Amino acid sequence: MPSLVTLIKPWEFSPTVLVSTLAAAVLYWRGIKQRRRDKLRTGFWPTLSFCLGLLLIYGVMQTYVDYLSQHMFWVHRLQHLVLHHLGPFLIVLATPHKVLGRGIPQKWRQQMLLPIWYSRPVRGIYRFLQNPVVAPALFVGLIYLWLIPEVHFEAMLSATRYKIMNWSMLIDGLLFWWLIVDPRPPRGRITLHYSSRIVMLWVVMVLQIIIGAYIALSGKVLYDVYSVCGRAWPISPLTDQTIGGLTTWIPAAMMSVVGILLIIRLWMRQSAQAEQKNVSGGESKQV
């Protein structure tokens, strides 16, 4: 068994991962301090959710887990479960834009970031990616793409393709889960209706169950690249593949269930607030 130091230290040091996670952590910390100055509360649970999501993402991309994911199929599927599902879900659940925005120096925000964000090309690409048809198709499509045996073989043996694979899963996960978990009430093209989000999650769940079940129940080895690289632990290729398929099947599907429950909660809260406003408005007219 590797030591604790071996487990947590970078396996293959990546400046991109380090800078990205460190920048996000620093901006979030600055944002919390600024909100305190403005007499605004951030809350313990959103802060914990953001930090935990960021820590999990760093862990699977930078520590010994990254080594194991290159030598065990089921660890690889666990890595992608974190990058594509759990990590992004926890980050966007914290609605970090409210904090990160205040953490960015005002000069950078006003003169550089906001003009880029509101530029026509960037807004056009964002709206396209967040389309209720494109977003789930891309979310599931990336899973299917990187699990095509030939594509997976090439990605695992190429450092560049391996990084592209992992970053594509992370970025798409952040985009998709923000579209789903966005706490703002439905408003035209800006924020999807709750029913649309539920349908998207249901479709995503079914398609993930299909690919996960196919891998788990397959009687032949689909991913022989791990035999080429050498497995970290002495288990049979089919056992490794079965566990990986179950990881793709069950936990990923459960994330959709959790997302649906969260959306129902948001829907009920928004309906209660709307009803309360109607009641208050009616009482005002009577007075």
Side-chain angles (χ1 to χ4, degrees):
M1 289 294 293
S3 65
L4 180 61
V5 174
T6 302
L7 287 173
I8 62 176
K9 73 178 183 180
W11 173 248
E12 291 182 1
F13 177 71
S14 170
T16 307
V17 174
L18 178 62
V19 170
S20 299
T21 52
L22 191 59
V26 169
L27 290 178
Y28 198 82
W29 175 72
R30 283 173 51 89
I32 290 176
K33 289 182 64 177
Q34 184 60 49
R35 285 174 63 86
R36 285 176 180 171
R37 294 193 195 102
D38 298 337
K39 303 291 194 279
L40 295 173
R41 294 184 60 188
T42 304
F44 171 77
W45 293 112
T47 303
L48 178 63
S49 181
F50 179 85
C51 293
L52 183 58
L54 197 63
L55 186 63
L56 285 172
I57 290 170
Y58 177 85
V60 298
M61 294 186 77
Q62 192 67 81
T63 68
Y64 191 68
V65 175
D66 187 46
Y67 163 79
L68 294 175
S69 71
Q70 298 176 50
H71 293 270
M72 299 295 293
F73 178 69
W74 74 266
V75 180
H76 162 77
R77 296 312 306 147
L78 184 63
Q79 180 192 47
H80 277 201
L81 180 70
V82 171
L83 289 177
H84 206 210
H85 290 72
L86 186 57
F89 179 82
L90 289 171
I91 286 177
V92 302
L93 191 62
T95 56
H97 63 290
K98 295 180 180 179
V99 182
L100 292 174
R102 290 178 178 270
I104 300 172
Q106 187 174 3
K107 187 175 181 180
W108 293 5
R109 187 168 64 247
Q110 297 294 333
Q111 297 182 6
M112 183 173 63
L113 296 179
L114 288 180
I116 292 174
W117 173 246
Y118 285 110
S119 65
R120 185 172 295 181
V122 172
R123 297 297 291 176
I125 293 172
Y126 180 78
R127 289 196 183 100
F128 173 75
L129 294 176
Q130 297 299 72
N131 181 279
V133 175
V134 174
L138 184 61
F139 187 80
V140 178
L142 279 175
I143 298 173
Y144 275 68
L145 171 66
W146 295 117
L147 284 176
I148 296 172
E150 295 78 11
V151 175
H152 190 80
F153 189 95
E154 294 295 331
M156 297 305 293
L157 292 182
S158 167
T160 301
R161 293 191 186 99
Y162 180 76
K163 291 175 182 177
I164 292 173
M165 175 177 63
N166 286 345
W167 278 102
S168 68
M169 298 296 280
L170 174 59
I171 294 170
D172 180 62
L174 290 168
L175 288 170
F176 179 79
W177 287 109
W178 172 247
L179 184 65
I180 296 296
V181 181
D182 191 344
R184 296 174 297 177
R187 192 173 46 162
R189 295 173 58 189
I190 298 176
T191 313
L192 288 182
H193 193 273
Y194 299 117
S195 58
S196 299
R197 305 186 206 186
I198 291 174
V199 171
M200 289 168 59
L201 282 175
W202 184 84
V203 171
V204 162
M205 178 176 63
V206 171
L207 292 175
Q208 287 183 107
I209 288 174
I210 292 172
I211 184 66
Y214 173 74
I215 294 171
L217 301 178
S218 178
K220 62 178 181 178
V221 177
L222 302 172
Y223 304 102
D224 53 357
V225 65
Y226 298 92
S227 296
V228 175
C229 298
R231 285 180 168 77
W233 297 308
I235 64 174
S236 71
L238 274 179
T239 301
D240 185 17
Q241 183 173 290
T242 300
I243 299 173
L246 290 173
T247 305
T248 306
W249 176 357
I250 299 173
M254 290 305 299
M255 284 295 302
S256 291
V257 173
V258 171
I260 289 173
L261 293 175
L262 179 62
I263 293 166
I264 292 173
R265 182 170 176 266
L266 290 173
W267 198 347
M268 293 174 63
R269 181 189 295 176
Q270 193 267 335
S271 299
Q273 291 174 349
E275 185 177 348
Q276 187 176 4
K277 287 182 180 179
N278 291 335
V279 172
S280 301
E283 290 176 351
S284 300
K285 288 181 181 180
Q286 290 178 1
V287 173

